[in-house]
Amino acid sequence: MDPRFATLADLVIDVAREIRIRGAVAGPGVPLNQTQSQVMRYVHAHPGCKASEIADRTGVKRANVSAAITELRDLGYLVSRRDEHDGRVVRIEATPQAVDTLDRLRASWSALLAGAWGEDVSDLDPVISRLEGLLGGLGRP
């Protein structure tokens, strides 16, 4: 195996940690833990999803997804509604408060990365494309 993949993994983990630490924004509630963040980001991108779908797509255990949904609902970030066509199905959506918080977080992350990247963004699209490919190859949407 090519040892550069270990270096790449270390770098991706370290960059993600720095984004999380330095890209925080003030907002209501308490800072979200990693599971809550994964669930929140998935629901934001897939409104009306089901808990089982979140677990399948994020790789988070179903029990942890359920706990995170409850916690996020208590914080005012999520709402759960019965499906109008099948009352057995519960659909999960982000609240306006959650959308606002995520939009501010993404703006903060963007500014953080733009400042670190520098002015020459000519290689940004290939990096994004490659990281999307890696994420897909790891089995995540």
Side-chain angles (χ1 to χ4, degrees):
M1 169 118 12
D2 190 329
R4 294 178 296 173
F5 285 114
T7 300
L8 176 61
D10 285 339
L11 288 169
V12 168
I13 290 167
D14 290 345
V15 168
R17 184 191 68 241
E18 291 297 321
I19 291 169
R20 189 164 171 82
I21 290 170
R22 300 181 195 294
V25 296
V30 294
L32 302 182
N33 65 36
Q34 186 171 353
T35 299
Q36 292 167 333
S37 292
Q38 282 182 279
V39 169
M40 190 65 255
R41 289 180 57 238
Y42 188 85
V43 171
H44 183 258
H46 303 90
C49 60
K50 300 182 291 185
S52 59
E53 178 186 336
I54 298 167
D56 291 344
R57 298 299 201 150
T58 63
V60 175
K61 291 181 183 179
R62 174 64 195 259
N64 294 342
V65 167
S66 294
I69 289 169
T70 299
E71 294 158 356
L72 291 164
R73 192 179 318 120
D74 291 346
L75 289 169
Y77 287 129
L78 294 181
V79 292
S80 300
R81 294 191 174 92
R82 294 263 175 221
D83 186 288
E84 61 187 50
H85 303 292
D86 184 349
R88 297 170 297 171
V89 175
V90 175
R91 301 285 179 184
I92 303 156
E93 296 178 5
T95 64
Q97 173 185 325
V99 172
D100 177 63
T101 300
L102 284 170
D103 287 348
R104 288 187 298 120
L105 267 173
R106 289 176 55 85
S108 174
W109 297 339
S110 179
L112 180 68
L113 287 178
W117 193 275
E119 291 188 27
D120 181 9
V121 295
S122 61
D123 56 348
L124 186 56
D125 288 334
V127 170
I128 291 170
S129 178
R130 193 63 186 127
L131 288 172
E132 288 171 340
L134 281 172
L135 190 57
L138 291 169
R140 302 238 339 253

